[in-house]
Amino acid sequence: MTVRRGFGEPSGGRSDLVIGREESFAAAREQLSQGGSVLLHGPAGIGKSTVLRTLAGEYARTARTVLRCSATESESHLPFLALADLLGLVLDEVSGALPDAQRTALESALTGRGESTLQRDGLALRLAVLSALRALAAAGPVLVVADDLQWLDPASAELLGFAARRLGDTPVRMLCAVRTEGPETEGSEYGRHLRAAPPDTRAVRLGPLTRVQVSALLDHRGYTGLPRSTVREIHRTSGGNPLFALELGRALAESPTPPRPGEPLPVPTSLRALVLSRLEMLSEEARRTLLVASAGARPTPALLHAAGRENAEAETARAAELGLLAPDPEGPAVRFAHPLISAALYAEAPAAERRAAHAALSRAASDPIERARHLALATTGTDPEVAARLAEAAALARDRGAPSVAASLGLLAARHTPAGSEPGPGEHRLQAAEDAITAGEVDLARDIAREVLARATAPGERVRAWMVVIEAAGQAIGEVDAVFPQALADAGDDPRLLALVHYQLAWRGLVVQGDFAQGREEAAHAAGLAARAGDRRTELLALAFQAQAETLMGHPDAPATIQRALKEPQDPRVACHHNGAGSARFRWLVMSDRLAEARTTVTALLREVRRRGMAESEVHYLRFLAETELHSGHCGRALDLARESLTLARDAGIGEGAGAMQAALAEAAGGDAERALDLAREAVRRAEEDGDAVYLSRALAALGHAHLVAGDWREAVRALRRVRELEAGAGITDPARGRWQGDLAEALVRIGEPAEAQDVIDVTRAHALRLGRESVLAVLDRAEAGVRAARGEHRAAVARLTSVRDRLAGLGYGLEEARAAFALAELRAGRPGPASYDEAARLFRRCRALPWLRQVDAAVAARAAGPAPERAGAPDGLAGLASMERQVAALVMEGATNREIAARLFVSVKTVEATLTRVYRKLGIRSRVDIVRLAAGRNP
């Protein structure tokens, strides 16, 4: 193999720096694997070269010859330079295959000896490049790798384009990257480069990274421990551009003092030079106008006029001509072409000019929040009047549902509040920390609380700060165990402060120790203390906790406690909080089979927390709504909601384990069983790492259910037996909490343990009868039908399943109804006479329960195949496979390709490949051919 190395290659395999490019990689990889060419394009710094190098490293191993070039702007005027990079080292290899005129022209162009030009030797040179590529391809596949096509010298670009358009079926693939800005049109730079590529070229645009992907990229490069609020600002300022994000991360790492909330990020000199070079073409007054625009939240020409920029229209028009500003599709706002331009412009300005810009905007802005913010940034030192205006603005932002803005304003208020004032700086900081918790910015809240604890001596401030530290820990409350003795000591004998601490002790008892009885006891104590102190907010939270614990325990007092928590007077923020009385009532409704009321309740709560900007509550209520839709058999809707909840949870770092748990259940019902298993395992891992006893059992229940859907009965039993042990130890007796008991009984029957299955059914039924859990009783009856069938009581099993299906339909549990119809069809299929899966398939389609539909298809296919004697070896050979594995193996036996199998089973090709790998391992075979041999009853 001849390899021209124009730039560094990865050390092996996919570069870890290629983050957030899975779809782009898949598209490019598929195109290259089919013998096609790829054109990567996107703006500067978006990661084209990184992706190009990684792909080139993968596909260089399959090509005999790899030709490379990487152009630069400074060399783009040198004719034939890129051509020399590509063909210089293989000239001796191909020259013998070229006619004399072509060889002479090519040697002259590559070596610089002679007077070869496109104008004089155009045809000979064009044909020489084409002939050279064909000659190389005659000996084996050729891969041409060209980076930064926009800087190719015009002569090389013309020759390469001529050859590319005429290669036809010649085994030459091109992998190129080009910088493009603006729209993808035929007349744009993008269109010009695409026309110069081979006809079968696939253009792959690299877009900006998401916030989560930027966070992963920063972590990979060692910029760890950044607060999520800072990562969000890096993502906003970089526009999702990985190069810009890394440079901003580096600047933060090198900065001796990190920026305070509300302050701009430090923009490194490298990025300032990159984005501000065009500023030199603007007048001094135009630059001042752009500085005012960069300081504003949403600047408009009218705002700039009001801020004293008299020639704003002409100056912004000139900036737009230079590419510094871009049209705003939403209105007349002055919008920078990239957020980094605004950040760099602001960072470049002297402090006095920044303050002057903010002072002008503090008088010009119409919004009181904006006016207060600009006034603060224009003021140095403490100023009680400024602090008061900032506190008022923070309260207004809070009421508008912008707690993140309120937190930023609160910190500015603390900075401008003189010591000894009332309220003092500590009060403003604590309010800012509590706003940050509401906004989901737990890292910021924790940092503020620690700052308060380092300064405060007043017990009230210290206890509130300790509460923020505990709240910021989330489900990992066990990690802050040492806080509780200190908080109790600071609280002394003050009932208001003690109520706060005992409310958090209730959570500790539940989450860390898994003791519902202890959690209930602490919550009741906290409610009493709060009532004594007249702290209605803490009293309501404690009563709501007590109600939730009693509901999950199956305690008879639960409805009465819920009513106490719902009594007036109410605190509006507690009423819609995910730990408030509304949430407790929702849980009780769901467990009581009142799905329509539960949906109405949680939808209203979700609407309210979105209005108030309560990020953590939004994450939870999306998950609750997904749960309700799943029970109702709306699997597609449930999947969308669960994915949205998980995305928000990952973005904010809140409730990720719970989000993964619900997403696993939704994937198992309406998505992909393999994805469900991955998510359930993640949920279990997170719960174990956090020491979260509450969600560990829920996560294990999701894992067991995912195994059941995948047809791995033994693993399902293993996970669900653990759930049974954990919930028994925690004192949870209400089977409607996790609804895993029917799955365990069904899996036990499948592995030949009907006696244990009956024991699970009997114990659970006693609790379900006591609490009136009708849907649970119906599911238990469905599982018991399986036990009866295993004992040979076929007629009784059929009658039980028929009744169960009707009862579940009446209760509105669409997916469970469909599962009962499927169980009934399977039972009839095992007996002589006709059997039909049509009803089960219809109900699963109505629910959009794709994994279950795949099981129906597999059952129908297995029945159609029949137990022919000559194929007797096949069922035995496949007996150890899970449901998905059997389905994939059966389709391989039919001769289906991986892509065809993926389409028929509604999964990805990657899932099919992974499933086949497990099939080979379990069956001790090596290839698809061996599966076909198994089907024919021959030894593979």
Side-chain angles (χ1 to χ4, degrees):
M1 182 194 297
T2 304
V3 180
R4 169 70 172 137
R5 299 185 184 276
F7 43 81
E9 269 194 71
S11 58
R14 179 183 295 190
S15 168
D16 287 336
L17 290 180
V18 185
I19 291 171
R21 302 300 185 198
E22 289 77 13
E23 290 187 13
S24 301
F25 256 104
R29 183 180 284 112
E30 180 181 21
Q31 179 73 356
L32 291 169
S33 67
Q34 294 175 355
S37 296
V38 171
L39 176 66
L40 303 168
H41 67 106
I46 205 67
K48 301 180 297 296
S49 297
T50 302
V51 174
L52 182 107
R53 282 195 295 269
T54 307
L55 285 168
E58 288 186 7
Y59 283 91
R61 294 187 289 270
T62 66
R64 177 186 179 273
T65 305
V66 179
L67 308 175
R68 299 176 184 266
C69 72
S70 183
T72 62
E73 184 177 11
S74 62
E75 298 170 342
S76 60
H77 66 286
L78 300 174
F80 305 123
L81 181 62
L83 190 66
D85 278 346
L86 287 170
L87 298 177
L89 293 184
V90 296
L91 181 60
D92 292 342
E93 185 179 342
V94 300
S95 59
L98 304 181
D100 290 345
Q102 294 179 23
R103 181 173 61 253
T104 300
L106 186 61
E107 287 177 349
S108 177
L110 296 185
T111 62
R113 293 191 295 271
E115 297 286 333
S116 181
T117 66
L118 264 183
Q119 186 174 2
R120 195 184 72 184
D121 301 319
L123 181 59
L125 270 174
R126 289 173 171 85
L127 293 175
V129 173
L130 179 59
S131 298
L133 291 173
R134 285 174 173 165
L136 290 170
V142 176
L143 177 65
V144 177
V145 183
D147 198 7
D148 283 319
L149 283 185
Q150 74 277 3
W151 303 133
L152 248 64
D153 61 276
S156 296
E158 164 61 24
L159 293 171
L160 197 58
F162 175 87
R165 292 189 294 272
R166 290 165 175 79
L167 285 169
D169 294 332
T170 306
V172 176
R173 290 175 292 179
M174 297 186 70
L175 174 59
C176 306
V178 62
R179 180 187 300 180
T180 55
E181 305 282 352
E184 300 175 10
T185 62
E186 283 296 317
S188 65
E189 281 288 293
Y190 158 80
R192 181 172 68 82
H193 289 293
L194 191 59
R195 286 194 299 275
D200 65 345
T201 298
R202 180 168 186 173
V204 178
R205 178 171 179 78
L206 300 184
L209 300 182
T210 67
R211 196 180 299 170
V212 173
Q213 291 161 352
V214 164
S215 177
L217 180 63
L218 292 167
D219 285 346
H220 173 83
R221 292 300 292 269
Y223 305 131
T224 57
L226 294 173
R228 288 182 182 270
S229 55
T230 302
V231 173
R232 278 196 286 274
E233 187 60 22
I234 290 175
H235 177 260
R236 188 197 66 78
T237 304
S238 69
N241 185 298
L243 172 65
F244 297 170
L246 287 172
E247 286 295 293
L248 290 168
R250 181 178 62 78
L252 276 170
E254 294 174 355
S255 175
T257 56
R260 291 178 291 191
E263 289 185 342
L265 295 175
V267 180
T269 304
S270 58
L271 292 185
R272 294 189 198 186
L274 179 66
V275 300
L276 297 182
S277 57
R278 285 166 286 186
L279 273 181
E280 297 173 0
M281 303 174 70
L282 287 174
S283 67
E284 182 65 29
E285 287 302 308
R287 285 200 291 270
R288 289 182 185 277
T289 296
L290 289 191
L291 174 61
V292 174
S294 73
R298 186 171 170 78
T300 63
L303 178 66
L304 295 177
H305 267 295
R309 309 312 303 167
E310 296 177 357
N311 299 315
E313 282 90 349
E315 290 162 351
T316 55
R318 176 59 179 152
E321 289 175 7
L322 295 172
L324 292 164
L325 299 179
D328 191 327
E330 298 180 6
V334 176
R335 186 169 71 88
F336 285 89
H338 192 283
L340 189 60
I341 297 174
S342 174
L345 179 64
Y346 188 90
E348 187 80 3
E353 289 189 16
R354 288 191 218 169
R355 287 196 297 273
H358 286 296
L361 287 168
S362 72
R363 295 184 295 271
S366 59
D367 184 81
I369 292 176
E370 275 300 289
R371 286 202 303 271
R373 185 178 75 86
H374 288 301
L375 179 61
L377 295 173
T379 305
T380 57
T382 61
D383 186 321
E385 183 180 342
V386 171
R389 287 183 60 180
L390 285 164
E392 291 171 5
L396 181 58
R398 204 173 300 121
D399 290 340
R400 288 182 181 179
S404 180
V405 174
S408 177
L409 292 167
L411 288 175
L412 287 172
R415 191 186 311 170
H416 289 287
T417 299
S421 298
E422 188 59 43
E427 172 63 29
H428 290 307
R429 288 192 185 94
L430 283 169
Q431 184 60 66
E434 289 162 0
D435 285 330
I437 287 284
T438 302
E441 298 183 7
V442 293
D443 294 329
L444 175 60
R446 186 186 300 113
D447 291 344
I448 297 170
R450 286 171 178 162
E451 185 178 358
V452 171
L453 287 166
R455 303 180 183 202
T457 56
E461 287 189 359
R462 292 187 61 79
V463 171
R464 280 178 66 189
W466 289 127
M467 296 305 100
V468 170
V469 171
I470 295 168
E471 287 277 356
Q475 297 300 120
I477 193 171
E479 295 179 2
V480 293
D481 248 6
V483 165
F484 287 99
Q486 298 177 69
L488 284 169
D490 283 331
D493 57 1
D494 186 326
R496 182 179 63 84
L497 300 180
L498 285 171
L500 292 171
V501 181
H502 281 281
Y503 172 68
Q504 294 296 349
L505 282 169
W507 280 106
R508 181 186 176 280
L510 187 65
V511 174
V512 178
Q513 297 175 294
D515 191 331
F516 277 69
Q518 181 184 338
R520 173 181 177 269
E521 203 172 297
E522 287 284 6
H525 184 44
L529 287 167
R532 250 174 60 204
D535 180 359
R536 183 62 173 161
R537 182 182 184 278
T538 304
E539 182 187 7
L540 289 169
L541 283 169
L543 286 171
F545 180 101
Q546 183 182 342
Q548 293 252 32
E550 289 173 351
T551 299
L552 297 175
M553 293 169 66
H555 196 285
D557 290 348
T561 307
I562 291 174
Q563 290 306 312
R564 285 176 62 202
L566 290 169
K567 279 184 179 178
E568 296 293 342
Q570 286 288 318
D571 181 314
R573 294 181 184 278
V574 174
C576 65
H577 194 276
H578 62 278
N579 289 328
S583 176
R585 183 170 181 274
F586 160 79
R587 177 60 51 203
W588 182 81
L589 288 169
V590 167
M591 295 173 67
S592 301
D593 299 326
R594 294 162 67 171
L595 297 181
E597 287 182 72
R599 182 184 295 107
T600 301
T601 298
V602 74
T603 301
L605 289 167
L606 178 59
R607 189 184 307 116
E608 181 64 14
V609 298
R610 279 176 166 166
R611 187 184 72 80
R612 292 179 177 274
M614 298 168 69
E616 184 174 6
S617 293
E618 181 180 0
V619 167
H620 286 286
Y621 286 139
L622 281 168
R623 181 166 55 82
F624 291 172
L625 187 54
E627 178 187 352
T628 309
E629 298 294 0
L630 201 55
H631 287 321
S632 302
H634 305 150
C635 300
R637 170 75 170 146
L639 186 58
D640 291 342
L641 288 164
R643 286 173 174 172
E644 183 182 357
S645 175
L646 182 57
T647 299
L648 289 176
R650 293 200 197 289
D651 190 29
I654 297 169
E656 293 179 75
M661 176 273 296
Q662 189 61 52
L665 292 171
E667 289 283 353
D672 181 79
E674 291 294 324
R675 175 70 176 148
L677 285 167
D678 289 343
L679 286 165
R681 291 186 183 110
E682 178 192 341
V684 171
R685 174 179 56 77
R686 287 185 180 278
E688 289 176 335
E689 288 174 354
D690 290 344
D692 184 351
V694 174
Y695 272 107
L696 178 57
S697 63
R698 296 291 305 275
L700 285 166
L703 179 60
H705 180 75
H707 277 304
L708 182 139
V709 173
D712 196 337
W713 315 112
R714 294 192 180 279
E715 286 302 317
V717 167
R718 188 194 307 273
L720 294 173
R721 277 174 173 162
R722 276 191 72 191
V723 178
R724 193 181 189 193
E725 293 170 5
L726 286 169
E727 293 205 351
I732 300 171
T733 61
D734 194 330
R737 186 229 181 191
R739 299 176 185 269
W740 50 266
Q741 297 85 353
D743 284 348
L744 176 55
E746 181 180 334
L748 285 166
V749 170
R750 295 276 189 171
I751 68 170
E753 298 287 352
E756 185 180 348
Q758 189 63 57
D759 178 63
V760 171
I761 292 166
D762 291 342
V763 172
T764 307
R765 181 177 282 138
H767 292 302
L769 284 169
R770 174 175 60 85
L771 297 166
R773 305 302 190 218
E774 292 297 327
S775 62
V776 173
L777 289 168
V779 169
L780 291 173
D781 284 351
R782 185 184 68 205
E784 191 170 45
V787 175
R788 292 195 174 194
R791 293 173 177 166
E793 302 171 21
H794 184 266
R795 189 184 302 275
V798 169
R800 180 65 60 90
L801 283 173
T802 303
S803 169
V804 163
R805 184 185 60 191
D806 294 341
R807 286 157 57 197
L808 287 168
L811 290 167
Y813 284 79
L815 182 58
E816 298 297 347
E817 175 195 358
R819 286 181 62 180
F822 185 30
L824 187 59
E826 287 192 300
L827 194 57
R828 287 171 173 161
R831 306 286 293 179
S836 174
Y837 288 90
D838 292 350
E839 177 66 4
R842 181 186 71 81
L843 291 173
F844 282 134
R845 272 195 297 271
R846 185 184 70 184
C847 295
R848 199 178 169 271
L850 301 183
W852 290 100
L853 266 174
R854 293 172 203 135
Q855 290 201 29
V856 173
D857 289 343
V860 171
R863 181 169 175 79
E870 64 272 17
R871 296 183 59 185
D876 291 343
L878 303 184
L881 301 182
S883 173
M884 172 65 78
E885 295 162 356
R886 287 198 302 274
Q887 292 177 67
V888 170
L891 290 170
V892 169
M893 292 173 185
E894 295 177 13
T897 65
N898 286 4
R899 187 169 296 280
E900 290 167 341
I901 294 170
R904 289 176 65 176
L905 297 181
F906 304 97
V907 296
S908 66
V909 174
K910 183 179 178 182
T911 296
V912 174
E913 293 169 350
T915 304
L916 274 175
T917 300
R918 293 196 303 275
V919 169
Y920 298 156
R921 185 176 66 249
K922 288 184 178 182
L923 298 183
I925 59 178
R926 297 181 179 179
S927 69
R928 297 166 64 96
V929 175
D930 291 338
I931 294 180
V932 176
R933 288 173 177 163
L934 273 177
R938 299 197 301 270
N939 188 339

